[in-house]
Amino acid sequence: LLTLSLLPGAFSGSVTALLYARERMSPPAAIGIATSLLNVSLGVGALLLGWGVIGLALSALVATLVTAIAFALILRRDFPEIVLKTAGRIKPDQNRAWRRFPPLLKAGWPLMLNALLVGLFFRADQFIIKANQDDLAVERYAAAYSFLNFVLLITPAVTLALFPRMARHAETDKARLAYEYTFALKMLLMLSVPLMALTIWFAPILITIVTGGRPEFQPSSVVVLQILILFLPLSFINGVTQYVLIALNRQNLITWAFGATVLFNLAANMVLVPLLGINGAAIATIGSELVLLVPFLYWTSKEIGPVHIDQLAWKTLLAGAMVAAVAWLLWPFQDKWRAGSGEFASYLGIGLLLLVSYVLTVTLLKPLTQQELSGLRSALGRRASKKQ
């Protein structure tokens, strides 16, 4: 059943690529949300009917077919020339069409390898944990990772919106590309630092929600999540830098970087997991992001000029250090407040205080230049006018 869903999934991916090429990000996003809701609803219904994993696979197939139908309607409405060529009513130039395949395959092959290596990078540690620990250790590690899967959706959302502009500037104006890249880095760093700080603070509650309050996940999964989230700023930097290299048509370099990172990740996990358990796997993940960062920044600097991460990040990191200091000062009072107002209210109150302290510190340090602030206000103003 899952194999049958590959064909409609590939069709949906093709139409999504057409929409992305025309900078129409909203339809795929809306259909993706609707598909997820449908898949969850059908899956829950199948489980309630007692159909088990077969029911879940059938739900996935039905959701994929519905998605393909929705994309087929969009294809018919917005790309009629493609529908007519497919139906044979317009004969394409076959010779010209075949000549397009080799350069497309040459450009796309590294991207396919990159996707494969990313999958290995984020899955290899679980196999090593299973080989050295037990199934419960794998579940504890997966529980911490389940929250990260949600947070890691931020980078693709930002980079996919920026990528068409970056691709144009890579051809015509590399100075503008460098400006937009550094601006994106600043914004992602400003977002990642409070996310990292608040995740560390709320980790016990987050793991309780993810695991349904099962006691065997405390405190192991909490500690793993608090370690893993430290890789978030590095992941955000690598995510947007990767798309800059793709815009510059240097995706073959990315393959080498991912290959080296996967080898490092495997070696680090094989050393650290037997010594430190699932905490070692979390540390290996952070180290792998650092290994990936070095060649990414080197190649990007060669193409568009020096990338001074220290100058871009020090103000946001200083704001993060301020948050850590406030949390450290408030830690002795946590038990007293928890006894008086309850555990959730205590975490929420201190979490809001940490967020306010971060915003105030960032406001005082002013990490964005006046030009960047003007561009941000202009972009927000255009978006608001479009909605009106």
Side-chain angles (χ1 to χ4, degrees), residues 299-370:
W299 291 325
T300 305
S301 298
K302 286 186 65 176
E303 293 288 340
I304 64 174
V307 181
H308 301 290
I309 289 294
D310 53 341
Q311 298 178 15
L312 294 173
W314 77 266
K315 291 184 178 180
T316 51
L317 292 177
L318 181 58
M322 179 64 69
V323 173
V326 173
W328 180 74
L329 291 173
L330 294 176
W331 188 264
F333 305 97
Q334 183 187 8
D335 292 337
K336 182 178 179 180
W337 292 340
R338 189 183 303 171
S341 58
E343 182 176 14
F344 180 77
S346 173
Y347 273 111
L348 182 61
I350 297 178
L352 289 174
L353 186 59
L354 296 179
L355 183 60
V356 169
S357 66
Y358 176 78
V359 172
L360 289 175
T361 309
V362 166
T363 303
L364 292 173
L365 292 174
K366 298 179 180 179
L368 297 179
T369 64
Q370 197 60 43

Side-chain angles (χ1 to χ4, degrees), residues 162-212:
L162 290 175
F163 182 70
R165 293 168 56 87
M166 292 193 298
R168 285 195 296 269
H169 294 320
E171 291 289 331
T172 60
D173 190 353
K174 287 190 177 181
R176 184 67 185 179
L177 173 62
Y179 168 78
E180 293 194 349
Y181 169 56
T182 54
F183 178 62
L185 285 180
K186 283 186 180 181
M187 294 302 296
L188 287 171
L189 285 170
M190 288 173 61
L191 183 61
S192 66
V193 169
L195 279 173
M196 181 176 63
L198 292 175
T199 300
I200 292 173
W201 182 258
F202 285 108
I205 291 179
L206 293 172
I207 293 299
T208 300
I209 294 172
V210 168
T211 62

Side-chain angles (χ1 to χ4, degrees), residues 40-53 55-56 59:
V40 170
S41 302
L42 293 175
V44 171
L47 291 175
L48 291 175
L49 291 173
W51 293 357
V53 292
L56 292 176
S59 302

Side-chain angles (χ1 to χ4, degrees), residues 27-200:
I31 293 174
I33 293 171
T35 301
S36 298
L37 293 174
L38 177 63
N39 196 7
V40 170
S41 302
L42 293 175
V44 171
L47 291 175
L48 291 175
L49 291 173
W51 293 357
V53 292
I54 301 298
L56 292 176
L58 182 61
S59 302
L61 175 59
V62 172
T64 308
L65 288 171
V66 172
T67 304
I69 292 171
F71 278 114
L73 295 175
I74 292 177
L75 182 69
R76 184 175 181 180
R77 183 191 67 189
D78 298 343
F79 306 98
E81 70 282 2
I82 295 178
V83 176
L84 291 173
K85 284 182 180 181
T86 305
R89 293 167 64 182
I90 294 180
K91 298 296 184 182
D93 185 345
Q94 298 294 338
N95 291 329
R96 192 194 314 173
W98 280 108
R99 283 198 297 269
R100 291 175 183 167
F101 283 131
L104 285 174
L105 289 173
K106 183 179 179 180
W109 179 255
L111 298 176
M112 187 276 291
L113 288 179
N114 296 343
L116 176 63
L117 292 170
V118 167
L120 290 173
F121 171 64
F122 283 108
R123 290 290 180 267
D125 47 10
Q126 297 192 25
F127 290 103
I128 297 174
I129 292 171
K130 187 175 179 63
N132 288 273
Q133 305 283 313
D134 52 16
D135 290 339
L136 181 58
V138 176
E139 291 181 20
R140 286 169 172 166
Y141 190 74
Y145 238 115
S146 61
F147 175 74
L148 290 184
N149 290 333
F150 170 74
V151 177
L152 290 176
L153 294 175
I154 296 173
T155 313
V158 173
T159 50
L160 283 175
L162 290 175
F163 182 70
R165 293 168 56 87
M166 292 193 298
R168 285 195 296 269
H169 294 320
E171 291 289 331
T172 60
D173 190 353
K174 287 190 177 181
R176 184 67 185 179
L177 173 62
Y179 168 78
E180 293 194 349
Y181 169 56
T182 54
F183 178 62
L185 285 180
K186 283 186 180 181
M187 294 302 296
L188 287 171
L189 285 170
M190 288 173 61
L191 183 61
S192 66
V193 169
L195 279 173
M196 181 176 63
L198 292 175
T199 300
I200 292 173

Side-chain angles (χ1 to χ4, degrees), residues 150-304:
F150 170 74
V151 177
L152 290 176
L153 294 175
I154 296 173
T155 313
V158 173
T159 50
L160 283 175
L162 290 175
F163 182 70
R165 293 168 56 87
M166 292 193 298
R168 285 195 296 269
H169 294 320
E171 291 289 331
T172 60
D173 190 353
K174 287 190 177 181
R176 184 67 185 179
L177 173 62
Y179 168 78
E180 293 194 349
Y181 169 56
T182 54
F183 178 62
L185 285 180
K186 283 186 180 181
M187 294 302 296
L188 287 171
L189 285 170
M190 288 173 61
L191 183 61
S192 66
V193 169
L195 279 173
M196 181 176 63
L198 292 175
T199 300
I200 292 173
W201 182 258
F202 285 108
I205 291 179
L206 293 172
I207 293 299
T208 300
I209 294 172
V210 168
T211 62
R214 293 167 61 185
E216 61 267 29
F217 288 89
Q218 301 277 352
S220 299
S221 295
V222 173
V223 175
V224 171
L225 177 57
Q226 290 171 332
I227 297 172
L228 274 174
I229 198 64
L230 296 176
F231 93 121
L232 192 64
L234 301 172
S235 177
F236 278 12
I237 295 172
N238 286 332
V240 69
T241 306
Q242 173 186 204
Y243 275 86
V244 171
L245 289 171
I246 294 172
L248 292 164
N249 199 27
R250 295 293 185 268
Q251 57 267 26
N252 58 319
L253 297 176
I254 301 173
T255 305
W256 289 103
F258 274 132
T261 304
V262 168
L263 292 176
F264 172 84
N265 186 263
L266 287 170
N269 275 288
M270 292 176 69
V271 172
L272 293 175
V273 170
L275 293 175
L276 303 173
I278 56 178
N279 294 340
I283 296 171
T285 300
I286 299 172
S288 299
E289 289 288 349
L290 279 171
V291 170
L292 190 62
L293 180 67
V294 173
F296 273 12
L297 292 182
Y298 173 73
W299 291 325
T300 305
S301 298
K302 286 186 65 176
E303 293 288 340
I304 64 174

